[in-house]
Amino acid sequence: SQQGEEDPQALSIQEGENATMNCSYKTSINNLQWYRQNSGRGLVHLILIRSNEREKHSGRLRVTLDTSKKSSSLLITASRAADTASYFCATAGNQFYFGTGTSLTVIP
Amino acid sequence: DGGITQSPKYLFRKEGQNVTLSCEQNLNHDAMYWYRQDPGQGLRLIYYSQIVNDFQKGDIAEGYSVSREKKESFPLTVTSAQKNPTAFYLCASSIGNRVTGELFFGEGSRLTVL
């Protein structure tokens, strides 16, 4: 399988804390993207980081990419209850390949 | 509003029946995709199309068929040959026909086999 792997599979934190999710992948990539999925809904794009970038910020999101280790991390700072969702990394090489997701629960 | 519309949202099928899931986009995107999502798993690619009248198999195409007669439409047929079709199906599109930008997703169709 060319799917990536997210770690942890599930994460539960208190509101206001930071949440970190990791993604490992197997193939060479053009870019890596993170998506969010609320239960029973479609995926929504959060952020894209290109293969020649090491870090990117967007609001409360911070993404890092280490192509030598084939890994990425997503940090959500000052989490809110509304951040409760599943988060997926997707690698874009010849095709898009999605990881298995991290289920984040933010407790008010 | 621009976006991707999937229908129906919920669909029930008896064993042996073919069903077709609709996906329409008004984003003027060249590429369209169908993914299958099972509980606890990531998205797996069924079929994709980068241009009208052309499509390619993804990782799990067996038991599925697609057509791309119009740029805005990419219907997926789940045939009776698909032995375990109960799943959440997601349609997506992207600008251009190269894997460089983001994917835009519909709200999904949940298929249940009775």
Side-chain angles (χ1 to χ4, degrees):
Chain A
S1 169
Q2 299 192 49
Q3 281 188 315
E5 294 283 337
E6 269 109 341
D7 172 58
Q9 288 188 326
L11 180 60
S12 183
I13 59 174
Q14 296 289 332
E15 202 165 32
E17 293 181 338
N18 295 342
T20 299
M21 294 159 247
N22 302 296
C23 168
S24 60
Y25 59 92
K26 300 176 183 177
T27 61
S28 61
I29 62 172
N30 296 318
N31 63 69
L32 186 141
Q33 304 176 29
W34 285 89
Y35 289 81
R36 167 194 169 125
Q37 184 182 34
N38 285 19
S39 181
R41 306 290 298 273
L43 278 72
V44 175
H45 181 263
L46 294 175
I47 193 166
L48 179 154
I49 185 166
R50 292 183 172 77
S51 59
N52 60 354
E53 297 177 311
R54 291 297 169 258
E55 187 171 313
K56 199 162 184 179
H57 297 253
S58 176
R60 294 185 295 114
L61 305 180
R62 172 178 169 254
V63 170
T64 62
L65 177 64
D66 186 336
T67 52
S68 66
K69 295 181 179 178
K70 288 187 167 55
S71 67
S72 174
S73 68
L74 171 67
L75 169 67
I76 303 174
T77 61
S79 64
R80 306 165 182 169
D83 293 329
T84 294
S86 292
Y87 292 82
F88 294 89
C89 67
T91 53
N94 293 324
Q95 264 307 331
F96 291 98
Y97 289 101
F98 283 81
T100 50
T102 293
S103 176
L104 172 66
T105 301
V106 181
I107 302 166
Chain B
D1 279 87
I4 299 180
T5 301
Q6 289 187 240
S7 63
K9 188 167 178 63
Y10 299 97
L11 185 61
F12 298 89
R13 188 193 96 171
K14 294 181 181 178
E15 285 195 27
Q17 285 183 334
N18 293 354
V19 294
T20 297
L21 308 181
S22 170
C23 179
E24 303 277 332
Q25 54 103 354
N26 59 4
L27 300 167
N28 200 33
H29 285 173
D30 290 310
M32 297 187 74
Y33 309 80
W34 274 105
Y35 288 92
R36 170 179 171 142
Q37 186 177 30
D38 294 283
Q41 296 194 34
L43 278 66
R44 292 183 291 168
L45 182 64
I46 305 172
Y47 269 98
Y48 65 99
S49 168
Q50 295 178 317
I51 196 168
V52 174
N53 291 322
D54 189 42
F55 48 83
Q56 285 79 41
K57 293 181 179 180
D59 297 323
I60 57 165
E62 185 175 353
Y64 300 98
S65 66
V66 293
S67 63
R68 187 86 187 275
E69 297 176 0
K70 299 185 296 182
K71 187 175 185 177
E72 58 269 26
S73 179
F74 192 41
L76 173 74
T77 296
V78 184
T79 75
S80 57
Q82 171 50 237
K83 297 307 177 188
N84 185 24
T86 294
F88 190 52
Y89 292 88
L90 288 157
C91 180
S93 70
S94 64
I95 295 172
N97 54 19
R98 293 187 62 198
V99 183
T100 55
E102 67 183 88
L103 287 170
F104 294 78
F105 282 86
E107 286 297 300
S109 293
R110 187 169 297 281
L111 172 63
T112 303
V113 173
L114 302 174

